[in-house]
Amino acid sequence: MILTVTMNPAYDMTYRVEHFERGQAHRVRSVEQRIGGKGINVTRVLNQIGKYARATGFSDHAFAAAAELEMPVDFVHALPWVRRTVVISESSDGTATALWEPGARVSNPHAAEQLSVRVSGMLPDINGLVISGSLPGGIAHGLPADIARTAIAAGVPTICDVDGEALRLAAQVPGIVLMPNTEELERLTGRVPVTPDEVVTAALPLIERGVRAIIATRGAEGMVVVTADGAWSAALPEPLAGNPTGAGDSATAAVIAALSDAKDTPDWSDVLVDAVATSAAAVVIPVAGEIDRRVRTQIAPTVIVERLATPQETAP
């Protein structure tokens, strides 16, 4: 089983319009509401690609009940209400505009401890852990790192897909896998990595301090993985148009699926190919947390992979 942790879940709202113009009234063609949050999206995709996954984190009673109708869950009921995220999807060209509410403040003073205990109790039964998304108010930035440290000590491959101070603290956990986007990597390293080689330069100090892998997601430009064993970039020959919301979560699902199967060091170039293909298969779906498995299968052989030189390899 793979376990996902979502500390700040959401109801995902998708409004479909023909064309969105700022300052104008719009007739909405259709509305869709579903449970969401980054870890929830990862759980959905894992189940679609044949991996049994369970979701935990913080929620209120209503959200937990709705989630239980769709997937195995075990939430700590600590939120007074659950936020919404709104995506305006334009049918004219596939453009998506997202509005994210900040979320409620955790009302239970023992919530962090309860979540940590809940995850620890499941560690003997899981072979992969994903901690992803923002933190609600009232939760310390170090909680994702604390949970990750316990899981890694138990031999469970762990991905942290968080941001800000939570990401900085997670980067101090030996053995962790981080999946920042370009902006998150910039905030974490203080560098502005534009090219794949610059991503390698920015990420290597973190690898030298014990991070197992940095998988930088770069939108239409693909992904870069940096590890102690080397670095690779991967991208599609031509990016797909569509809704990028949830594409990163789909990539995370592909990576943790590969790590949960690997008995030793995975072939990181293969991991990257599957992550790019799975991410692209999410872009063509208008809602987050879903992939087109046919597209995933068709696109994987077309992904272009390049081995990147590290400073150690280029040194005289």
Side-chain angles (χ1 to χ4, degrees), residues 205-267:
L206 299 170
I207 301 299
E208 292 168 353
R209 292 198 290 268
V211 172
R212 182 181 182 186
I214 300 284
I215 302 176
T217 56
R218 308 175 67 238
E221 296 179 345
M223 301 180 195
V224 173
V225 60
V226 185
T227 75
D229 299 315
W232 295 263
S233 67
L236 296 176
E238 294 290 339
L240 298 182
N243 177 17
T245 306
D249 301 329
S250 298
T252 300
V255 173
I256 196 62
L259 296 181
S260 69
D261 287 339
K263 302 194 183 304
D264 199 356
T265 302
D267 184 325

Side-chain angles (χ1 to χ4, degrees), residues 163 167 180-194 202:
D163 192 12
L167 177 59
N181 60 31
T182 301
E183 292 77 18
E184 291 164 348
L185 184 60
E186 179 182 341
R187 288 191 286 269
L188 176 62
T189 64
R191 294 175 176 267
V192 185
V194 177

Side-chain angles (χ1 to χ4, degrees), residues 161-186:
D161 182 11
V162 293
D163 192 12
E165 181 66 7
L167 177 59
R168 188 189 70 81
L169 294 172
Q172 299 174 16
V173 179
I176 201 165
V177 175
L178 304 177
M179 295 191 63
N181 60 31
T182 301
E183 292 77 18
E184 291 164 348
L185 184 60
E186 179 182 341

Side-chain angles (χ1 to χ4, degrees), residues 110-124:
H110 306 292
E113 180 183 1
Q114 290 172 355
L115 181 58
S116 296
V117 169
R118 193 158 300 187
V119 174
S120 296
M122 287 187 272
L123 290 178

